[in-house]
Amino acid sequence: LSEQRIEGYRHFMNKIWNAARFALPYLDGTTRGSSPTSFHSFSLPERWILSRLNTTIKEVREALESYRFNDAAQVLYHFTWHEFCDWYIEQAKIPLGGNDPESAERAAVLLRHVLDSIVRLLHPFIPFITEEIASRIPDNGDTVMKGPFPTFDESKVDSDAEREMGMLMDVITSVRNIRADMNIPPSKKLPVVVLPSTREDAELLLSNSATVLFLGRISELKVEEPGREIQPPRMAATAVVGEVRVFVPLEGVVDPDAESARLEKELAKIEKELSAVTKKLSKADFLSKAKSEAVEKQQKRSSELTAKSEGLKDSLERIRKLVQA
């Protein structure tokens, strides 16, 4: 019995509950008949979540019909946490909090549709929390157990939307990774320069700049002409997303000397602890006399410290390259 896994699924329940708490105030004006009907009028993130939802419905139904309950649960876990909560809900804050009533209404209808579908798909696995959330959705009828199970709608699957949204998510993730590597707080907005390889990628970034700016915590997004030779900004961290290059200018944002000193101090501390763990694991006495749980604990700690050490070394190398840029 893995207590760590149980704890992980407790976090998943909290994630679902908090997602519902965010969504419910926006659903007051929606009804049970509210559903996305004008598919092509939706924005790219909205077409993407509809496509991902219907692909998820198809995979879950196929897994349940084949008695592969674990596969169904894993598909729902990934979609609910990593796509609906981590990406779609964050993006939906833009139209829901904007000044365009039509966009806000459309976002609320879609939010209701996706949340209600998730609740029904998850109900066979976690009936208590799903019943509670379903009962709070306005005009949602009787118990969710007696309601319809979501059905797959092939017309809502949009491979172009999934590919395009995937590219935007990769760009945003690259900026987030640079922020984390350089120890820059999330509250600090960063300028970003993007060099796309094609006109289509450039237009995609420009037409969805509001999403990229908001989700990436970006102060300014500059999209260069595709294929143009440019001089990278001074002291810029660089990432490559497919054929798109992303530059984050860090002059005035990061103090290279102070950050190098911080990383070196942290690295010395990690390597000292790693040395002690390695020394303990090399002793035959410890390996033969200690309980297997104690040995496993030390082996796990060794792996964690090794990964941290490698990560700190990579960050130090990036900082040194920034100074040379």
Side-chain angles (χ1 to χ4, degrees), residues 46-244:
E46 291 167 340
R47 289 189 288 118
W48 168 76
I49 196 65
L50 273 171
S51 183
R52 291 300 307 133
L53 171 63
N54 275 276
T55 300
T56 299
I57 290 170
K58 181 182 180 183
E59 291 175 357
V60 168
R61 292 187 73 104
E62 287 175 351
L64 291 178
E65 287 163 8
S66 304
Y67 300 97
R68 292 181 287 107
F69 304 123
N70 182 65
D71 289 349
Q74 287 301 314
V75 168
L76 283 168
Y77 180 94
H78 176 81
F79 174 74
T80 303
W81 190 316
H82 300 297
E83 295 179 324
F84 179 64
C85 294
D86 285 355
W87 286 101
Y88 180 68
I89 279 186
E90 290 304 307
Q91 186 282 328
K93 292 175 181 177
I94 301 173
L96 289 170
N99 299 318
D100 183 350
E102 185 179 339
S103 294
E105 181 184 1
R106 188 177 68 219
V109 167
L110 184 54
L111 190 58
R112 177 194 175 106
H113 174 70
V114 181
L115 177 63
D116 183 66
S117 298
I118 286 172
V119 164
R120 295 177 187 280
L121 289 166
L122 281 169
H123 191 66
F125 301 94
I126 46 173
F128 298 105
I129 192 171
T130 49
E131 189 69 71
E132 182 66 25
I133 292 171
S135 71
R136 298 182 183 216
I137 297 175
D139 187 36
N140 211 31
D142 296 329
T143 170
V144 66
M145 192 188 304
K146 295 182 179 179
F149 197 71
T151 55
F152 172 60
D153 183 349
E154 190 173 1
S155 69
K156 299 294 188 291
V157 176
D158 188 333
S159 56
D160 289 339
E162 293 196 27
R163 176 182 54 78
E164 291 170 1
M165 189 66 187
M167 196 272 269
L168 296 183
M169 290 159 67
D170 287 344
V171 169
I172 293 163
T173 299
S174 72
V175 176
R176 289 175 176 176
N177 289 343
I178 288 170
R179 184 191 297 279
D181 289 344
M182 298 299 172
N183 200 37
I184 302 168
S187 57
K188 178 74 176 177
K189 290 191 175 183
L190 300 171
V192 172
V193 179
V194 180
L195 179 60
S197 61
T198 65
R199 171 56 54 190
E200 290 76 13
D201 285 346
E203 289 173 357
L204 176 65
L205 286 159
L206 289 169
S207 61
N208 292 279
S209 59
T211 297
V212 179
L213 288 166
F214 182 76
L215 296 182
R217 302 290 295 164
I218 295 169
S219 58
E220 178 189 4
L221 178 66
K222 184 178 181 183
V223 180
E224 297 284 359
E225 282 292 317
R228 179 186 167 197
E229 288 293 329
I230 67 165
Q231 183 69 27
R234 188 173 180 276
M235 267 189 69
T238 307
V240 179
V241 177
E243 296 182 9
V244 176

Side-chain angles (χ1 to χ4, degrees), residues 174 177-183 235-239 250 254 256 259-260 263 310-325:
S174 72
N177 289 343
I178 288 170
R179 184 191 297 279
D181 289 344
M182 298 299 172
N183 200 37
M235 267 189 69
T238 307
L250 296 174
V254 173
E259 185 61 10
S260 289
L263 290 169
E310 293 302 318
L312 287 167
K313 287 174 183 176
D314 288 345
S315 295
L316 258 174
E317 185 63 27
R318 288 193 190 95
I319 285 288
R320 287 165 182 157
K321 285 181 179 177
L322 280 180
V323 177
Q324 296 165 5

